Amino acid sequence: MTDTLVVGAGFGGIAVALRCRAMGHKVTLLDRLDQLGGRAQVFEKEGFRHDAGPTVITAPFMFEELFELFGKKLNNYATFVPLDTWYEFYFDDQQHFTYKGDIEHTYREIARFNEADVAGYKALLKLSEKIFKVGFDELSSKPFTRFSSMMSQAPALIRLKSYLTVYGLVSKFIKNEHLRKVFSVHPLLVGGNPFTTTSIYTLIHYLERKWGIHFCMGGTGALVAALKQLMIEEGIAIRLNSDVDQININDGRATGVTLSAGEVISAHNVIFNGDAPHAYRALLPSHLKRQPIRRPDAATQYSMGLYVLYFGTRKTYSDIAHHTIWLGPRHKELLADIFDRHVIPDDFSLYLHRPTATDPSFAPPDCDSFYVLCPVSNLLSGTDWSIEGPALRERIVTALDRTILPGLRDTICADFWMTPQDFKNRYRSEHGAGFSIAPTLTQSAYFRYHNRDPDIPNLYFTGAGTHPGAGLPGVLSSAKVVENLLNGATT
Ligand SMILES: Cc1cc2nc3c(=O)[nH]c(=O)nc-3n(C[C@H](O)[C@H](O)[C@H](O)COP(=O)(O)OP(=O)(O)OC[C@H]3O[C@@H](n4cnc5c(N)ncnc54)[C@H](O)[C@@H]3O)c2cc1C
């Protein structure tokens, strides 16, 4: 019998496994895939390496904490490097905005678009710090398992204007339309539409400014490997290729899981790190399908889907930054197509990852490794991705060839892609959503999936669909919430 069984080896699962181990539990971590990391899988093709998912590290201290639990130092296992240029933004009218860690540079960039917005940006940053102090410092590792805990935070949240959207709040400070897009982009990195995501997420401005944006040398996969080494050293049992078909409940308690191959694994505590809505729909008895607030699936807003094209190039594009955001002609309407109308339009906006800008080991000599991420509707669009996948690849290659990657059509190689259908099949994401449920106000804190089931006291949840939400800082925080609950926190 294992004390604590963690199902799902995404960052939330790995972090909670380590936290439980540090509390003295005997821990088993299992995943249906053949690698650790969840959405942070690593793909290799023809000498090109790709981190499948997360690449931007905004809270390095949260990884350091996991090593410190055991009196160890992260920098003996992995190397984080701060990036000088955080993002390069390209607009449809040929303008571009360079977003750097050097704040004086940011002021100059803002002034190129609109001098008056420099003061607005400074005020936005100040407010972002206040939001961070409440949203991150106070609330992100606090369990929201009772409505009263939500109500006690309501005055602070109202004072900080959490009822506004990220775009709405940014627009109060910034007048230039291009700059509004730049400074409200963050929800898209955690699965939200800036026009509907609660402005609590503007805390990311402060997070970035305080700690910077980092890259783990060797990639996010190297960070997963470092955590794997730590888990092995600390005696956490790891089982891959283990697909959980059922979370077993007996007499109001979780007793373990049944794998698809029929094996039963018993445990005192079960912590689920896969997609929480998937657990309630497919793995648990139907009378428990009541999380988070008895909301029917049809009333739940899922995050967008992701189409990710991984490719190499037989030349280097040395003027392309590590992180690029390429904005198409439409913004608000494009996002409404993706999030609300669930259609796949001909146009798009893109995020381009070029790890070879920082770490040449990702590609053979004189080559580049890339992935391009295109936010699309999740599977609620009804799209047949076996047809749309190759078609969208063509449209994206054409657009990049015409603009920032000239000659791409002739130099692209070793390409392949993931669609929302793959997210559903591989990660068991409900509706193929890239980031579980969307980060709206009515799906946050108490209204998000609770980190402990309301009826089963030893069934816990970490990961993107749970409080506080998606993104690496979010899922690492969800592991802290579970630790707090295991330690007897009651709210
Ligand atoms: C393309 C992409 C880019 C991103 N970029 C960034 C970024 O730059 N920075 C950032 O902070 N965040 C980023 N994110 C978001 C971030 O990666 C995720 O929010 C986070 O990694 C999710 O972690 P998780 O703990 O929820 O687990 P997941 O990564 O979702 O892993 C869950 C695991 O559970 C397993 N599982 C599910 N069901 C079962 C079952 N029944 N049995 C066994 N195993 C099961 C799955 O196989 C999976 O391995 C990105 C996400 C994507 C997809």
Side-chain angles (χ1 to χ4, degrees):
M1 160 95 66
T2 186
D3 284 348
T4 295
L5 180 64
V6 181
V7 178
F11 276 109
I14 291 173
V16 85
L18 285 163
R19 289 189 176 278
C20 289
R21 186 71 195 115
M23 290 167 73
H25 295 205
K26 184 175 164 203
V27 181
T28 299
L29 171 66
L30 60 82
D31 200 290
R32 64 186 306 274
L33 299 176
D34 60 2
Q35 293 179 38
L36 297 173
R39 276 152 228 258
Q41 303 281 291
V42 178
F43 300 136
E44 307 255 359
K45 189 170 179 187
E46 296 172 30
F48 295 90
R49 189 187 327 131
H50 305 282
D51 279 323
T55 59
V56 177
I57 293 174
T58 45
F61 61 93
M62 297 193 78
F63 291 99
E64 284 158 7
E65 276 173 19
L66 295 175
F67 289 84
E68 283 159 11
L69 289 172
F70 305 95
K72 295 182 177 176
K73 291 255 169 264
L74 177 142
N75 56 18
N76 290 330
Y77 294 77
T79 307
F80 286 158
V81 291
L83 297 188
D84 173 39
T85 296
W86 291 350
Y87 296 100
E88 192 74 51
F89 287 82
Y90 291 92
F91 303 100
D92 191 52
D93 60 3
Q94 320 302 322
Q95 297 200 68
H96 71 95
F97 179 92
T98 307
Y99 193 19
K100 281 180 182 274
D102 172 356
I103 197 157
E104 295 298 329
H105 182 274
T106 302
Y107 297 154
R108 289 196 296 278
E109 281 293 274
I110 294 172
R112 277 202 302 117
F113 286 81
N114 182 14
E115 188 100 42
D117 281 340
V118 175
Y121 177 69
K122 289 179 181 170
L124 175 66
L125 266 187
K126 274 205 183 113
L127 178 60
S128 156
E129 180 174 358
K130 284 192 189 144
I131 296 174
F132 181 90
K133 296 225 147 85
V134 175
F136 192 89
D137 286 347
E138 288 179 30
L139 306 186
S140 70
S141 51
K142 184 183 165 69
F144 275 94
T145 49
R146 291 185 186 168
F147 189 62
S148 55
S149 52
M150 183 79 194
M151 289 317 290
S152 66
Q153 298 302 332
L157 294 173
I158 291 168
R159 230 178 9 258
L160 294 170
K161 300 187 171 50
S162 305
Y163 50 85
L164 290 179
T165 65
V166 168
Y167 184 87
L169 186 73
V170 167
S171 298
K172 287 196 176 299
F173 294 94
I174 307 279
K175 300 301 165 213
N176 178 276
E177 203 45 54
H178 280 342
L179 296 176
R180 284 178 172 176
K181 289 177 192 167
V182 167
F183 294 119
S184 65
V185 79
H186 296 106
L188 284 165
L189 311 180
V190 289
N193 179 348
F195 293 93
T196 57
T197 298
T198 164
S199 61
I200 297 170
Y201 280 84
T202 46
L203 67 79
I204 300 177
H205 281 284
Y206 180 74
L207 188 70
E208 282 177 351
R209 282 290 165 203
K210 174 105 175 121
W211 284 279
I213 285 190
H214 297 255
F215 183 68
C216 181
M217 293 306 279
T220 310
L223 179 56
V224 172
L227 290 163
K228 179 180 177 184
Q229 191 185 333
L230 178 64
M231 289 194 290
I232 291 170
E233 286 169 7
E234 297 305 327
I236 293 174
I238 298 171
R239 287 187 58 170
L240 299 173
N241 303 302
S242 302
D243 200 3
V244 169
D245 250 6
Q246 188 175 301
I247 299 173
N248 300 326
I249 306 292
N250 196 3
D251 262 351
R253 291 188 68 81
T255 57
V257 299
T258 305
L259 303 185
S260 55
E263 184 186 350
V264 174
I265 303 177
S266 304
H268 290 299
N269 300 304
V270 175
I271 305 177
F272 187 75
N273 170 239
D275 195 24
H278 162 69
Y280 280 94
R281 187 186 55 74
L283 307 181
L284 283 162
S286 54
H287 69 272
L288 288 179
K289 290 174 188 161
R290 308 193 315 176
Q291 272 240 53
I293 48 156
R294 290 87 173 125
R295 180 196 286 123
D297 192 54
T300 302
Q301 283 179 273
Y302 286 84
S303 69
M304 77 278 202
L306 300 172
Y307 174 90
V308 195
L309 175 66
Y310 306 88
F311 60 97
T313 54
R314 296 263 169 241
K315 61 176 269 197
T316 52
Y317 287 90
S318 48
D319 50 346
I320 295 294
H322 191 132
H323 301 293
T324 296
I325 294 181
W326 183 100
L327 293 161
R330 297 188 305 146
H331 191 57
K332 188 173 184 183
E333 285 304 305
L334 174 67
L335 292 169
D337 278 349
I338 295 170
F339 283 91
D340 308 330
R341 292 190 278 267
H342 293 295
V343 294
I344 310 287
D346 286 340
D347 60 335
F348 38 71
S349 289
L350 304 170
Y351 157 73
L352 184 67
H353 183 225
R354 179 175 168 257
T356 27
T358 306
D359 182 348
S361 75
F362 273 75
D366 304 320
C367 296
D368 265 335
S369 164
F370 285 100
Y371 85 54
V372 60
L373 184 159
C374 178
V376 292
S377 168
N378 56 40
L379 292 176
L380 291 171
S381 67
T383 304
D384 179 347
W385 280 101
S386 68
I387 295 170
E388 183 59 24
L392 187 51
R393 182 246 187 230
E394 283 309 297
R395 296 205 297 279
I396 290 174
V397 171
T398 302
L400 291 175
D401 180 289
R402 188 172 46 78
T403 55
I404 56 173
L405 298 182
L408 176 63
R409 189 162 285 291
D410 300 325
T411 62
I412 189 169
C413 60
D415 64 307
F416 58 98
W417 54 83
M418 276 186 84
T419 73
Q421 191 63 53
D422 298 308
F423 278 76
K424 183 178 169 75
N425 299 346
R426 266 183 98 68
Y427 308 131
R428 292 197 168 196
S429 291
E430 213 63 1
H431 302 301
F435 307 81
S436 193
I437 61 172
T440 59
L441 187 60
T442 52
Q443 296 188 160
S444 294
Y446 176 79
F447 302 115
R448 210 164 174 82
Y449 280 87
H450 293 186
N451 305 86
R452 181 170 56 200
D453 182 87
D455 299 317
I456 309 293
N458 64 337
L459 175 58
Y460 299 87
F461 294 86
T462 57
T466 70
H467 169 66
L472 301 182
V475 303
L476 294 180
S477 296
S478 73
K480 281 191 184 179
V481 180
V482 171
E483 180 187 18
N484 289 337
L485 284 165
L486 283 162
N487 277 327
T490 50
T491 50

